[in-house]
Amino acid sequence: MSTQTASNSPITNRRRGTIQRWSRTLIPTLREAPAEAVNPSHRLMLRAGCIRQVGAGVYEFLPLGMRVLQKVSQIVREEMDAAGSAEMLMPAIVPLELYADTKRDVEYGDLLFRLTDRHGRGAALGPTHEETVTEMAKGSVSSYKQLPLNVYQIQTKFRDEFRPRAGLLRGREFLMKDAYSFHLSVEGEGGLNETYDRMYQAYVNVFTRCGLDFTVVEAEAGPIGGSASHEFMVNADTGEDTIMVCPATGYAANVEKCEIGERTWSFDKSAPAELTKKHTPGMPGIDLVAEHLGVKPEQMLKTIVFQKVGGEKRKYVLATVRGDHDVNEGKVRDTFGFPVEIADEKEAKEAGFAIGYVSPKMVERRDDTLLVIDPDATAGTWATGADEKDHHVTGFSWSRDLDAELPEQGKQSGRIRVGDIRNAVTGDPSPRNASAKLEAKRGIEVGHIFKLGTKYADAFKFIILDEKQKKQTVIMGCYGIGVSRTVASSVEMSHDDSGIVWPIPIAPYHVIITVMDPDKDEHAKVAADLSEKLADEGVDVIIDDRKERPGVKFKDADLIGIPVRITIGDKALADESVEFKLRTDDGKGRLVEIAHVVQETLSKLSNA
RNA sequence: CGGGGUGUAGCGCAGCUUGGUAGCGCGUCUCGUUCGGGACGAGAAGGUCGGAGGUUCAAAUCCUCUCACCCCGACCA
């Protein structure tokens, strides 16, 4: 064992590496993964002894997993500090009174873990901390001279997800970095935009340093408008999110937000087929009906009933897209400029909508109803609902069968409009380059930056005087990174049949020294000497000193994914050498003279 | 919250239909032989069969209730 202390100097950041012995830490690797683990990251992190499940969506980090979590946290910390954010720590327990003004406890609903203390006072385990930090800032920032301000914390967050899944990817308890900034202006020096751009760059730095393959996408716009929100997505086929990418321009957006390039449209006047009513019992869904009628989903119209949010009288918005497309609520909202939500089924039925069998013709029967049609759902004849339970029609033509004024290109103002209201799909024209086509990819959201504006400052009446002695509501931004999710995403992105392949910057150890025979003094001595020298250079080393057969150690080394493996055995030692192998190399590695191993390791760790 | 499924040793599973002393593989411990990609032999430890109630001479097995976990969907600042 080393007698040296962990750090060489109290004032430099030069960090001495860690030396750990496998036999003296806890890395319970498994040959078989628990049956419930389906995702690669979940399976492999369990098998590699990184984590263990304690309850639904609740995991403990064992020493190996903890080291990765710490490495990611440290990178986040360094980049946040460098970008001018100051670390702090807020409580996990948030008194319910803090939500009194924002009503987010209601908004969150069951997602909030609630608790009651012995005095009957209500509190929540913080799912995020906008309220807490706004209250904190309001109480301690009283002058414009203290702004801009940017603070962050790395802390466990709690969300009682309906359905936790995929191990660390969607847990009910997870480690998150959340930052909050405060400003008096959006533009200019010290403004929100400046900090937002710095956070954007800091996030790019963080995920690049973590060795992740990621895409920054535009996300649902914030209240201030413009490109007010970005998500950082790790590229992985197993991701839950769909992102759309334009290969020509680099434009990338979450499918929920992705624009679609210009599409031509017209209301075809030809009507080759007659309008015929068909009995389609118990078939509200597109697929069933299409099969029953013998048409393809893309020959059908899908009409979704939305209702205006707020307002005294119910106002309905019909959104019609082609049967194989999905309506995008945000785009429907933007068409008429007021927020909408899917209509309450019971209420809509009472109002006369045959939910499941609705056709666009409902717009001509009701004055309180608007209609928006996707360009791809215009020309041609269609199968659609008959506005009557268990019935559909075929041969529907807009120009022949709708007794209402249809919009024309470039001239839209009435109750019926044509516009982009659906989710983009692969092959759609890019919004930035008419001749390029969008491609869909899968991603895992690991970071999200957001311009909040005055939402929280308004709620908390966080107002301070500017230098002209004018009252200004403070403008805020918030910036999140899912730290534990980042760890899991890395495994999703980087693994093979043998196990995890950690990127060097977040690997729990940089080097594993596999000692073939720990009982042999020579083996043990070379391992000890090498590890000390590597640690002096800042390299983290684990010595596999277990009395196991070589095959077991090799398999485990691959499973836990350490980037560099140094094997100490008789054959190599006879040549004053050890075997040197990268996790990504095949075979048993090549001989490197002991005198050159440190050099070789450093060079591989810094170049790879 | 809707649909489907599973709870038996640390992990993976069989046994349940047809009630009758709780089993297999891996792992763990001991001894021996082995020792460069998850060795072999012999022996051992380890389970109130998720929990509660019921039926029965007898329940892992049948019945009722309950809890937990997983998967699909809906949901996800």
Side-chain angles (χ1 to χ4, degrees):
Chain A
M1 285 285 173
S2 167
T3 54
Q4 303 204 33
T5 56
S7 173
N8 280 346
S9 161
I11 52 168
T12 69
N13 281 329
R14 180 63 182 275
R15 170 183 168 278
R16 184 178 147 83
T18 301
I19 301 173
Q20 199 86 251
R21 288 174 181 274
W22 192 309
S23 63
R24 297 268 62 85
T25 179
L26 180 65
I27 309 176
T29 57
L30 301 171
R31 291 197 186 192
E32 291 166 295
E36 66 268 15
V38 172
N39 279 67
S41 65
H42 192 194
R43 286 179 58 83
L44 288 173
M45 290 189 74
L46 285 168
R47 283 195 56 209
C50 290
I51 56 172
R52 272 178 73 100
Q53 180 166 12
V54 177
V58 179
Y59 292 82
E60 53 200 2
F61 284 82
L62 303 186
L64 200 64
M66 186 60 188
R67 289 190 61 86
V68 182
L69 202 59
Q70 291 285 38
K71 293 242 173 155
V72 174
S73 300
Q74 189 53 29
I75 289 172
V76 169
R77 193 169 276 129
E78 286 169 13
E79 293 297 333
M80 290 303 292
D81 288 348
S85 191
E87 185 167 10
M88 62 173 295
L89 184 60
M90 287 177 250
I93 296 175
V94 180
L96 277 187
E97 300 94 83
L98 269 183
Y99 293 106
D101 294 323
T102 59
K103 295 277 179 278
R104 276 217 302 177
D105 55 332
V106 178
E107 205 176 298
Y108 268 117
D110 291 337
L111 203 63
L112 209 58
F113 271 109
R114 292 158 198 275
L115 40 93
T116 306
D117 69 16
R118 63 170 74 199
H119 303 293
R121 293 177 294 221
L125 296 176
T128 175
H129 282 80
E130 280 82 4
E131 287 84 359
T132 314
V133 79
T134 305
E135 183 68 21
M136 180 282 293
K138 186 186 172 188
S140 39
V141 174
S142 46
S143 162
Y144 72 90
K145 294 171 190 166
Q146 291 170 278
L147 299 184
L149 175 69
N150 186 351
V151 293
Y152 77 96
Q153 62 174 344
I154 297 175
Q155 185 208 37
T156 302
K157 294 288 190 280
F158 301 87
R159 295 182 192 177
D160 194 0
E161 296 280 352
F162 294 120
R163 195 190 146 207
R165 75 190 116 180
L168 297 183
L169 287 175
R170 183 169 295 280
R172 298 197 296 168
E173 175 181 330
F174 56 96
L175 194 65
M176 180 173 174
K177 186 283 301 179
D178 48 326
Y180 306 90
S181 69
F182 302 88
H183 316 265
L184 277 193
S185 66
V186 174
E187 309 286 342
E189 198 178 331
L192 172 62
N193 286 348
E194 184 185 77
T195 295
Y196 187 87
D197 292 344
R198 290 186 78 172
M199 287 293 102
Y200 185 110
Q201 188 56 49
Y203 276 38
V204 169
N205 295 347
V206 164
F207 297 121
T208 303
R209 280 184 63 188
C210 286
L212 296 172
D213 171 26
F214 66 98
T215 304
V216 189
V217 304
E218 291 180 14
E220 183 76 6
I224 291 179
S227 57
S229 179
H230 287 88
E231 290 169 334
F232 292 73
M233 299 279 194
V234 170
N235 299 317
D237 294 338
T238 48
E240 287 186 312
D241 291 290
T242 301
I243 63 182
M244 305 303 301
V245 179
C246 167
T249 61
Y251 169 83
N254 192 309
V255 69
E256 292 163 10
K257 151 89 182 170
C258 184
E259 304 156 40
I260 300 174
E262 198 63 33
R263 284 175 285 162
T264 57
W265 53 273
S266 73
F267 290 101
D268 196 339
K269 288 204 184 343
S270 66
E274 276 188 45
L275 191 66
T276 315
K277 191 156 132 184
K278 301 279 174 71
H279 188 51
T280 51
M283 300 181 191
I286 288 286
D287 290 338
L288 282 175
V289 180
E291 197 185 327
H292 181 76
L293 295 177
V295 301
K296 293 182 177 152
E298 55 262 42
Q299 295 170 302
M300 296 193 60
L301 296 179
K302 185 196 294 184
T303 301
I304 306 291
V305 184
F306 289 88
Q307 63 193 27
K308 184 177 180 178
V309 177
E312 305 255 306
K313 260 183 68 187
R314 271 282 168 254
K315 206 164 181 142
Y316 292 98
V317 177
L318 301 175
T320 301
V321 297
R322 222 169 66 188
D324 57 326
H325 290 149
D326 289 319
V327 175
N328 180 304
E329 185 178 303
K331 290 180 176 182
V332 174
R333 172 194 65 206
D334 294 342
T335 304
F336 291 103
F338 52 76
V340 297
E341 63 192 0
I342 295 266
D344 178 74
E345 184 166 336
K346 194 161 158 255
E347 214 174 291
K349 277 182 176 164
E350 280 164 12
F353 291 100
I355 297 295
Y357 307 89
V358 175
S359 93
K361 281 171 75 69
M362 284 304 284
V363 72
E364 67 191 27
R365 299 193 200 153
R366 307 178 59 97
D367 292 337
D368 63 352
T369 300
L370 306 170
L371 169 67
V372 54
I373 309 158
D374 188 76
D376 292 323
T378 53
T381 58
W382 305 92
T384 183
D387 295 316
E388 185 183 325
K389 188 173 188 315
D390 295 336
H391 290 83
H392 282 78
V393 297
T394 57
F396 174 82
S397 158
W398 290 100
S399 50
R400 186 192 62 192
D401 299 323
L402 196 71
D403 297 327
E405 197 180 339
L406 287 164
E408 295 169 36
Q409 299 269 6
K411 186 175 120 188
Q412 297 200 56
S413 54
R415 281 169 51 211
I416 305 180
R417 305 201 188 168
V418 172
D420 172 21
I421 51 160
R422 66 168 172 86
N423 285 343
V425 296
T426 293
D428 278 337
S430 163
R432 299 295 154 81
N433 180 335
S435 58
K437 293 195 184 316
L438 292 170
E439 289 169 15
K441 289 165 67 176
R442 303 294 282 179
I444 303 167
E445 180 190 348
V446 289
H448 196 165
I449 57 178
F450 214 93
K451 293 182 186 178
L452 287 175
T454 57
K455 177 176 174 182
Y456 294 94
D458 280 336
F460 283 85
K461 299 193 171 50
F462 184 15
I463 296 166
I464 63 180
L465 291 178
D466 65 14
E467 55 183 311
K468 291 175 190 134
Q469 296 191 306
K470 253 184 70 186
K471 283 183 179 173
Q472 298 273 2
T473 303
V474 173
I475 295 163
M476 291 173 58
C478 72
Y479 318 92
I481 289 180
V483 178
S484 43
R485 185 186 274 186
T486 299
V487 171
S489 305
S490 168
V491 180
E492 291 290 331
M493 189 198 82
S494 177
H495 65 270
D496 62 19
D497 291 345
S498 303
I500 299 171
V501 183
W502 292 114
I504 289 165
I506 64 172
Y509 300 95
H510 299 113
V511 173
I512 180 165
I513 298 181
T514 302
V515 184
M516 295 302 296
D517 191 347
D519 284 338
K520 283 194 174 147
D521 290 345
E522 170 90 17
H523 291 205
K525 183 175 181 312
V526 173
D529 287 351
L530 262 183
S531 60
E532 293 294 341
K533 287 186 180 123
L534 286 165
D536 283 343
E537 299 296 329
V539 177
D540 294 327
V541 183
I542 182 161
I543 302 172
D544 189 352
D545 58 341
R546 294 175 299 170
K547 293 182 172 60
E548 289 287 350
R549 294 169 60 86
V552 173
K553 296 188 184 185
F554 293 143
K555 288 283 188 193
D556 273 347
D558 286 346
L559 179 59
I560 69 170
I562 308 301
V564 172
R565 191 181 85 200
I566 292 171
T567 308
I568 295 174
D570 286 332
K571 293 173 200 166
L573 282 182
D575 293 335
E576 295 286 305
S577 299
V578 295
E579 281 164 33
F580 188 93
K581 173 187 171 302
L582 301 183
R583 173 64 176 80
T584 48
D585 291 341
D586 289 330
K588 49 196 292 190
R590 58 194 168 76
L591 292 185
V592 172
E593 284 184 43
I594 291 172
H596 298 147
V597 170
V598 173
Q599 189 59 45
E600 182 67 15
T601 304
L602 293 175
S603 126
K604 287 297 181 206
L605 288 178
S606 51
N607 289 339

